[in-house]
Amino acid sequence: EAQVTQNPRYLITVTGKKLTVTCSQNMNHEYMSWYRQDPGLGLRQIYYSMNVEVTDKGDVPEGYKVSRKEKRNFPLILESPSPNQTSLYFCASSGSGGDYLTQYFGPGTRLTVL
Amino acid sequence: AQSVTQPDIHITVSEGASLELRCNYSYGATPYLFWYVQSPGQGLQLLLKYFSGDTLVQGIKGFEAEFKRSQSSFNLRKPSVHWSDAAEYFCAVDFTGTASKLTFGTGTRLQVTL
């Protein structure tokens, strides 16, 4: 089954404790993105990657890091989380095949930073 | 600046009634347009998309949307709403044409009364 998976689905942590949210897709997609969803703001892009070792900032990159060492994986790293990063995070991927230009989303990771 | 507007934060309709959710965008050319649905506690599911061609597009779950270039709009419609349609609906626009980024509206929460 074609899908985007994220782990963990729920995470409660404390300020300053480094964490990583993993994202993996099995569709051989070139593009991957991270978004955060906040009430009343919709989804905003954090970072995106056009292929292995190619990443770029989205609209709200501050406080986040990403890496793309393998095509299927795109982890989101919060090196020193703060309470304002409490949010619902989505990973998405899209490819150059038949469903070109269509982003498919993972199930989301709800992060709470205390 | 490129932007996406969903003017209705919350809409309530009776089961069996028709539905129209509004979406407007600000852009000089025709972008790629999407509607996603997010059920409570779930991720984002693609309902339909418009890239070019026929301005009336059909999607899943009985939804359709009409692109109107003159109004910069891409409104979502359904002739008869079911209670299971209660969810949050997001209009999203790809202004880049490269699948690298979606710009989302702030969402419309649909409530269905029985």
Side-chain angles (χ1 to χ4, degrees):
Chain A
E1 180 190 355
Q3 59 182 352
V4 180
T5 57
Q6 296 178 226
N7 282 293
R9 295 288 313 278
Y10 301 90
L11 180 59
I12 300 175
T13 190
V14 296
T15 299
K17 186 176 182 182
K18 181 179 179 179
L19 66 92
T20 299
V21 183
T22 64
C23 173
S24 183
Q25 50 92 4
N26 63 1
M27 296 169 278
N28 200 34
H29 283 170
E30 289 82 9
Y31 292 97
M32 297 186 75
S33 289
W34 276 103
Y35 295 83
R36 62 177 287 173
Q37 182 183 10
D38 301 291
L41 296 177
L43 283 82
R44 296 174 292 167
Q45 192 184 53
I46 303 170
Y47 269 95
Y48 68 95
S49 170
M50 289 180 283
N51 216 321
V52 176
E53 302 291 1
V54 182
T55 63
D56 206 350
K57 297 177 181 178
D59 295 322
V60 288
E62 294 77 22
Y64 304 95
K65 284 179 59 178
V66 293
S67 68
R68 186 96 180 270
K69 293 181 170 33
E70 303 169 284
K71 196 173 186 179
R72 64 182 293 125
N73 296 323
F74 190 45
L76 179 69
I77 303 158
L78 285 71
E79 295 209 325
S80 184
S82 62
N84 63 12
Q85 293 178 297
T86 292
S87 187
L88 179 58
Y89 291 86
F90 288 102
C91 181
S93 73
S94 57
S96 56
D99 242 349
Y100 181 53
L101 296 175
T102 301
Q103 293 201 18
Y104 292 93
F105 286 80
T109 295
R110 185 166 293 280
L111 172 65
T112 301
V113 183
L114 302 175
Chain B
Q2 299 156 349
S3 63
V4 181
T5 302
Q6 291 180 250
D8 304 305
I9 296 172
H10 186 220
I11 284 182
T12 300
V13 299
S14 300
E15 188 173 41
S18 64
L19 171 70
E20 182 169 24
L21 302 181
R22 296 182 291 165
C23 174
N24 293 90
Y25 63 88
S26 174
Y27 188 53
T30 299
Y32 301 129
L33 301 158
F34 305 82
W35 276 99
Y36 287 86
V37 60
Q38 183 180 31
S39 299
Q42 302 297 311
L44 290 145
Q45 182 181 23
L46 178 68
L47 284 175
L48 46 77
K49 59 190 176 184
Y50 174 79
F51 293 165
S52 65
D54 191 345
T55 57
L56 185 64
V57 294
Q58 303 297 321
I60 62 172
K61 304 185 179 188
F63 285 92
E64 66 179 27
E66 185 173 13
F67 167 60
K68 292 187 177 180
R69 185 190 311 273
S70 61
Q71 299 178 17
S72 296
S73 69
F74 188 55
N75 293 349
L76 182 71
R77 301 194 294 243
K78 188 169 185 179
S80 178
V81 169
H82 188 262
W83 63 266
S84 61
D85 293 324
E88 188 151 25
Y89 292 80
F90 290 96
C91 179
V93 179
D94 181 352
F95 292 113
T96 69
T98 62
S100 60
K101 177 183 175 181
L102 287 176
T103 300
F104 283 81
T106 51
T108 297
R109 182 165 298 280
L110 173 66
Q111 184 177 355
V112 181
T113 58
L114 301 175

